[in-house]
């Protein structure tokens, strides 16, 4: 009975997030003798690598961008910090964007020799060990891309060359760097799995609160030296982040940030950083993204003469994408069967579950026709 219960628990724990995108951890369990995720600066200044355990390592600065890790062990996943606290309802959770290699498939890695190379990954071990190779990560680019909803990404992180493999012999280490080995940065995989067991998350629209102010302050003061500022805002407050990304002059987003955080003075450096990373993030959107016409905070301000609550863009995004894509491909509700047609059929639905499944397939097919590869 105990063995059966353990198997059931492991199945529940191992529910998957999308392989390239946001994921969540209970913050207090991410702790080692040299890393404490509860500390805001410690959280934003470290990334995590999952082997058969979790190892933390320093984040590069935005100027450095890239990290090189020798493939001396099997990589299961890479986790890059985004939000120290994800919501008022779940203040104990933090979020990362991940690249999960622990899937049985073949991916095309950009190779340092100037071409793409097919690399097989394993569902248990991930990216296989190769002592002659080094894994390179564009950390800044990965956060900017993966903080976007996957439906709005121009392409995946492999095709965009944000990850690449390079022969170790071709890299010149910095002089004075010595090899050291220590298990101090390690965090037990079982500890992380237990701490993440049975969690449920919901999204809320941006509202003025002490939690929001603390979140924005941490992002713009502590996290800004390591994480592109628009990434956390996109993930936690999508309507504000989307305004920053999609508008050439996103004054409404800055005004909203000032209203949410009256105790924070948005400096010229902060505004420049947000505009810079928003512009870089725009490069990762697919061709034709403007045709989706997602409502921004700027448009909401212009359209209304009296103040109203901020629209819950985060909750509405999937429905907006569904409608826009169906309309663009001629599969929307306007494409109805004419009255009196032999195919008009009954008004009542005998099999609602089947109809929902058919609608889901229609949406998936339509999305793939507009934005291939999602």
């Amino acid at each position: 009975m105990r063995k059966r219960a353990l198997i059931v628990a492991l199945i529940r724990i191992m529910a998957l997030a999308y392989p390239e995108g946001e994921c969540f951890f209970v913050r207090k369990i991410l702790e080692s003798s040299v890393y404490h995720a509860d500390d805001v600066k410690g959280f934003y200044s470290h990334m995590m690598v999952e082997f058969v355990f979790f190892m933390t390592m320093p984040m590069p600065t935005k100027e450095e961008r890239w990290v090189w890790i020798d493939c001396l062990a099997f990589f299961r996943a890479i986790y890059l910090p985004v939000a120290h606290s994800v919501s008022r309802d779940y203040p104990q959770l933090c979020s990362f964007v991940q690249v999960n290699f622990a899937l049985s498939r073949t991916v095309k890695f950009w190779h340092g020799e100037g071409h793409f190379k097919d690399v097989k990954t394993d569902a248990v071990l991930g990216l296989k060990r190769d002592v002659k190779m080094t894994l390179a990560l564009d950390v800044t680019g990965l956060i900017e891309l993966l903080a976007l909803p996957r439906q709005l990404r121009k392409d995946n992180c492999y095709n965009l060359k944000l990850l690449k493999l390079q022969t170790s012999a071709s890299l010149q280490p910095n002089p004075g760097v010595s090899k050291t080995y220590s298990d101090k940065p390690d965090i037990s995989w079982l500890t992380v799995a237990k701490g993440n067991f049975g969690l449920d998350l919901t999204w809320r629209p941006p509202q003025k609160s002490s939690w929001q102010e603390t979140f924005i302050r941490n992002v713009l003061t502590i996290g800004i030296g390591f994480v592109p500022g628009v990434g956390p805002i996109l993930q936690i407050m999508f309507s504000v982040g989307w305004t920053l990304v999609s508008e050439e002059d996103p004054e409404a987003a800055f005004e909203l940030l000032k209203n949410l955080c009256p105790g924070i003075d948005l400096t010229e450096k902060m505004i420049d950083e947000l505009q810079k990373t928003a512009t870089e993030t725009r490069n990762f959107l697919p061709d034709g993204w403007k045709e989706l016409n997602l409502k921004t905070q700027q448009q909401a301000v212009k359209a209304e003469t009296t103040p109203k609550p901020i629209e819950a863009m985060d909750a509405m995004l999937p429905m907006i994408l569904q409608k826009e894509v169906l309309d663009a491909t001629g599969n929307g509700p306007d494409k109805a069967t004419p009255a009196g047609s032999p195919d008009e059929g009954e008004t009542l639905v005998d099999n609602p579950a089947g109809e929902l499944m058919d609608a889901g397939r229609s949406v998936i097919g339509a999305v793939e026709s507009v934005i291939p590869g999602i």
Side-chain angles (χ1 to χ4, degrees):
M1 183 68 181
R2 183 178 179 183
K3 182 177 180 181
R4 180 182 176 187
L6 178 60
I7 292 173
V8 172
L10 285 174
I11 290 173
R12 290 183 64 191
I13 289 172
M14 293 309 295
L16 291 176
Y18 191 74
E20 292 102 40
E22 68 178 354
C23 61
F24 304 90
F25 290 89
V26 176
R27 194 170 51 253
K28 69 180 181 181
I29 64 174
L30 301 179
E31 189 138 335
S32 70
S33 59
V34 296
Y35 171 70
H36 306 280
D38 269 335
D39 175 64
V40 177
K41 185 175 182 180
F43 173 82
Y44 282 115
S45 61
H46 288 79
M47 56 185 284
M48 294 195 301
V49 183
E50 181 183 348
F51 302 104
V52 291
F53 54 90
F54 288 82
M55 184 186 78
T56 57
M57 58 183 294
M59 284 275 286
T61 65
K62 294 194 303 299
E63 290 72 26
E64 293 169 336
R65 294 188 69 106
W66 287 86
V67 164
W68 286 265
I69 310 173
D70 291 334
C71 300
L72 303 178
F74 295 88
F75 293 105
R76 284 179 49 83
I78 303 292
Y79 302 93
L80 306 175
V82 177
H84 181 260
S85 178
V86 301
S87 75
R88 293 173 299 174
D89 290 340
Y90 297 94
Q92 76 277 24
L93 295 184
C94 58
S95 69
F96 293 74
V97 289
Q98 68 162 344
V99 179
N100 184 0
F101 304 119
L103 297 165
S104 182
R105 60 174 181 164
T106 299
V107 295
K108 292 186 179 294
F109 267 94
W110 180 252
H111 199 277
E113 296 175 357
H115 58 84
F116 282 101
K117 179 180 180 181
D118 286 343
V119 177
K120 290 184 177 180
T121 57
D122 184 85
V124 176
L125 300 174
L127 184 62
K128 296 183 179 179
R129 174 178 176 268
D130 186 342
V131 297
K132 296 181 180 179
M133 301 301 294
T134 295
L135 174 65
L137 310 167
D138 180 352
V139 171
T140 300
L142 283 169
I143 294 176
E144 291 173 342
L145 173 71
L146 300 181
L148 287 167
R150 64 187 180 89
Q151 294 91 343
L152 295 178
R153 298 175 196 163
K154 182 176 184 178
D155 209 329
N156 64 57
C157 54
Y158 298 97
N159 289 344
L160 292 171
K161 304 177 186 177
L162 301 179
L163 300 97
K164 60 184 179 181
L165 289 171
Q166 194 159 342
T167 54
S168 303
S170 66
L171 298 172
Q172 297 295 324
N174 290 331
V177 174
S178 59
K179 293 183 178 180
T180 58
Y181 301 90
S182 171
D183 61 359
K184 289 183 179 180
D186 298 352
I187 304 172
S188 165
W189 186 93
L190 185 59
T191 299
V192 175
K194 285 181 177 179
N196 278 353
F197 178 75
L199 297 175
D200 186 23
L201 293 173
T202 58
W203 292 94
R204 295 178 66 98
Q207 297 176 8
K208 182 184 287 190
S209 69
S210 59
W211 180 88
Q212 296 280 8
E213 184 166 343
T214 300
F215 168 72
I216 294 297
R217 180 185 291 109
N218 288 341
V219 168
L220 296 182
T221 56
I222 300 175
I224 203 167
F226 304 95
V227 177
V230 77
I233 297 174
L234 265 173
Q235 190 182 84
I236 302 301
M237 303 159 62
F238 181 79
S239 57
V240 181
W242 181 245
T243 304
L244 288 167
V245 171
S246 61
E247 296 283 352
E248 295 293 337
D249 185 23
E251 285 298 323
F254 292 124
E255 285 301 316
L256 181 58
L257 287 176
K258 291 176 183 177
N259 290 334
L260 289 171
C261 312
I264 298 177
D265 182 21
L266 283 180
T267 66
E268 185 177 347
K269 179 181 178 181
M270 292 176 182
I271 293 175
D272 289 345
E273 168 62 19
L274 288 173
Q275 289 181 320
K276 176 186 174 184
T277 57
T279 300
E280 291 176 353
T281 301
R282 199 177 301 140
N283 295 329
F284 294 120
L285 292 170
D287 294 338
W289 62 270
K290 291 184 178 179
E291 296 176 10
L292 291 176
N293 197 28
L294 294 182
K295 191 173 184 181
T296 66
Q297 198 61 38
Q298 187 99 330
Q299 292 168 333
V301 170
K302 290 178 180 178
E304 297 175 2
T305 56
T306 57
K308 293 183 179 180
I310 299 164
E311 184 172 5
M313 176 71 79
D314 303 320
M316 294 180 62
L317 178 61
M319 292 181 285
I320 293 171
L321 289 174
Q322 174 180 323
K323 180 181 183 303
E324 294 289 346
V325 171
L326 287 177
D327 289 346
T329 56
N331 296 309
D334 293 337
K335 189 181 179 182
T337 304
S341 166
D343 298 325
E344 182 180 2
E346 297 286 336
T347 303
L348 298 178
V349 178
D350 293 327
N351 184 9
E355 186 175 83
L356 286 173
M357 291 178 66
D358 291 341
R361 295 189 190 100
S362 175
V363 171
I364 292 171
V367 171
E368 288 177 342
S369 70
V370 175
I371 308 176
I374 64 169

